[in-house]
């Protein structure tokens, strides 16, 4: 009967950075070497650049009328026009800025609040931990999207920053809970106890000893919040809750739906905006997958040796952890 042999055993570095310098160096480069993460970063980078320069390079004013009413893509209008002759490509270029500003503003604010509350609660313990945990539990059960709809409906002039602030205020609790749990597991580690015994200040222990070990988790929470913020803003614009005069991808879909673009066969009116939403969502998801492979030791080991596994005809599966000799690691 045929048997399968495992190559050898290697040591997986612990969260506090144990392991040889070569292994630590390889792990720092793993995220950038990950094909999923790099593809996602490229997609997000393209949209970020478009958000900065889009209004300047747009072929025309997105509100400018023309005689080419409901015209399909052509040399004059690369993505066609709407029912008033407005250029769809210009609307998408100008609207990208609003989508990116809301998404990343909400992600940054929610991440900062979650880090402050979660790490502080996990490290100080006692009554402070109980109070901050209770605060997190309160915000954890607040329905985000209905609250955003109510606030945006009561503030007709509410812009993207208002929506981002509401998403951040209501969206930090889950990340704070995860960070608190991880901080509880780190605060009694030997390297933290050694820093405390050496008389290090609390802020120094938090910033230099604990936060570096939470980087991947913080990044994953940030990406998740950005994704939710982008979807929320587009949803609010599509249902007409926010101002329909401020261009973003949801506004384009709102006007297309209001004027029955699908029934008229004007696919160019809604398809480009939908494709942009799908691409940005895919980019954020791929980055999240890359972070997950960096955090999870099993996925990290598979990612490090993906090419070698493919060369040997081995298919990784759930529960599979490929390992190699440290001597073989050194030859690479």
């Amino acid at each position: 009967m045929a048997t399968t042999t495992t190559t050898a055993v290697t040591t997986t570095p612990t969260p506090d950075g144990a392991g040889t310098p070569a292994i630590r160096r390889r792990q720092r480069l793993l995220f950038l070497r990950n094909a999923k993460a790099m593809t996602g970063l490229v997609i997000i980078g393209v949209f970020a650049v478009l958000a900065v320069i889009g209004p300047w390079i747009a072929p025309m004013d997105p509100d400018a009328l023309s005689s080419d009413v409901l015209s399909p893509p052509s040399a004059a209008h690369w993505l066609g026009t709407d029912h008033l002759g407005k250029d769809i490509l210009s609307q998408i270029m100008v609207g990208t800025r609003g989508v990116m500003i809301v998404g990343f503003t909400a992600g940054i604010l929610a991440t900062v609040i979650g880090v402050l509350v979660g790490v502080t609660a996990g490290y100080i313990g006692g009554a402070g931990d109980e109070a901050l945990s209770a605060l997190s539990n309160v915000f954890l059960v607040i329905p985000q999207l209905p609250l955003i709809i109510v606030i945006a409906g009561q503030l007709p002039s509410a812009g993207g920053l208002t929506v981002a602030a509401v998403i951040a205020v209501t969206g930090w609790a889950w990340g704070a809970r995860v960070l608190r749990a991880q901080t509880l597991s780190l605060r009694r580690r030997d390297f933290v106890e050694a820093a405390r015994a050496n008389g290090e200040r609390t802020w120094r222990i938090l910033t230099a000893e604990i936060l570096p070990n939470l980087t991947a988790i913080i990044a994953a929470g940030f990406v998740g919040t950005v994704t939710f913020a982008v979807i929320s803003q587009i949803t609010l614009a599509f249902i007409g809750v926010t101002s329909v005069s401020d261009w973003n991808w949801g506004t384009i879909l709102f006007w297309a739906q209001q004027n029955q673009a699908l029934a008229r066969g004007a696919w160019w009116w809604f398809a480009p905006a939908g494709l942009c939403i799908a691409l940005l969502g895919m980019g954020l998801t791929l980055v999240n997958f890359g972070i997950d492979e960096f955090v999870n030791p099993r996925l990290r080991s598979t990612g490090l040796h993906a090419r070698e596994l493919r060369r040997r005809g081995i298919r990784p599966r759930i529960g599979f952890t490929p390992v190699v000799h440290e001597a073989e690691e050194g030859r690479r």
Side-chain angles (χ1 to χ4, degrees):
M1 183 174 61
T3 58
T4 303
T5 58
T6 304
T7 313
V9 178
T10 189
T11 304
T12 301
T14 60
D16 53 308
T20 66
I23 293 177
R24 291 200 298 268
R25 236 181 353 260
R26 290 195 57 166
Q27 288 191 343
R28 284 194 296 267
L29 294 174
L30 174 60
F31 183 77
L32 295 179
R33 289 175 49 195
N34 186 282
K36 298 187 187 73
M38 287 306 301
T39 303
L41 288 175
V42 169
I43 295 173
I44 296 172
V46 170
F47 283 116
V49 172
L50 187 59
V52 175
I53 66 176
W56 301 338
I57 65 174
M60 58 186 65
D61 187 341
D63 293 310
L65 306 180
S66 70
S67 58
D68 297 326
V69 176
L70 213 61
S71 172
S74 62
H77 303 280
W78 289 3
L79 294 181
T81 61
D82 62 11
H83 66 302
L84 297 177
K86 298 179 182 179
D87 187 66
I88 302 296
L89 177 60
S90 300
Q91 294 175 2
I92 289 178
M93 286 185 171
V94 173
T96 302
R97 176 175 293 183
V99 173
M100 300 298 287
I101 287 178
V102 170
F104 281 88
T105 300
I108 292 171
L109 292 177
T111 301
V112 170
I113 298 173
V115 169
L116 290 176
V117 175
V119 176
T120 302
Y123 184 77
I124 63 176
D129 181 19
E130 294 292 335
L132 292 175
S133 296
L135 181 66
S136 300
N137 292 335
V138 170
F139 278 89
L140 198 61
V141 297
I142 295 178
Q144 292 178 270
L145 191 57
L147 179 62
I148 296 170
I149 293 175
V150 171
I151 294 177
Q154 295 298 319
L155 299 173
S157 60
L161 293 180
T162 303
V163 174
V166 175
I167 293 174
V169 170
T170 58
W172 58 267
W174 179 256
R177 295 289 294 176
V178 174
L179 291 172
R180 173 185 174 273
Q182 293 297 319
T183 305
L184 285 172
S185 69
L186 289 173
R187 68 176 183 175
R188 295 303 178 190
R189 296 286 181 90
D190 291 341
F191 62 97
V192 176
E193 293 289 355
R196 193 180 292 115
N198 287 334
E200 297 285 356
R201 296 177 181 271
T202 301
W203 67 267
R204 173 70 170 71
I205 297 175
L206 291 175
T207 56
E209 303 295 344
I210 292 180
L211 279 180
N213 291 292
L214 300 175
T215 303
I217 298 174
I218 294 172
F222 170 76
V223 172
T225 305
V226 171
T227 305
F228 176 78
V230 168
I231 294 175
S232 298
Q233 190 212 18
I234 292 172
T235 301
L236 294 175
F238 177 70
I239 64 179
V241 174
T242 56
S243 175
V244 294
S245 60
D246 297 331
W247 287 110
N248 63 60
W249 301 337
T251 307
I252 299 173
L253 296 178
F254 169 81
W255 288 114
Q257 187 270 339
Q258 288 291 310
N259 293 276
Q260 300 180 349
L262 183 61
R264 295 184 179 187
W267 57 266
W268 60 87
W269 196 347
F270 56 84
L275 181 61
C276 288
I277 296 170
L279 283 175
L280 181 58
M282 183 179 71
L284 292 168
T285 302
L286 288 174
V287 171
N288 216 353
F289 285 164
I291 294 172
D292 191 29
E293 290 188 6
F294 181 78
V295 175
N296 190 318
R298 290 178 180 270
L299 296 178
R300 180 168 64 233
S301 182
T302 302
L304 278 171
H305 309 102
R307 292 183 180 178
E308 180 184 350
L309 293 174
R310 286 195 297 267
R311 181 172 57 82
R312 297 182 180 182
I314 300 175
R315 261 184 94 182
R317 58 190 181 276
I318 297 176
F320 176 82
T321 306
V323 287
V324 296
H325 286 290
E326 289 189 3
E328 188 176 345
E329 287 278 345
R331 288 197 299 271
R332 297 178 186 173

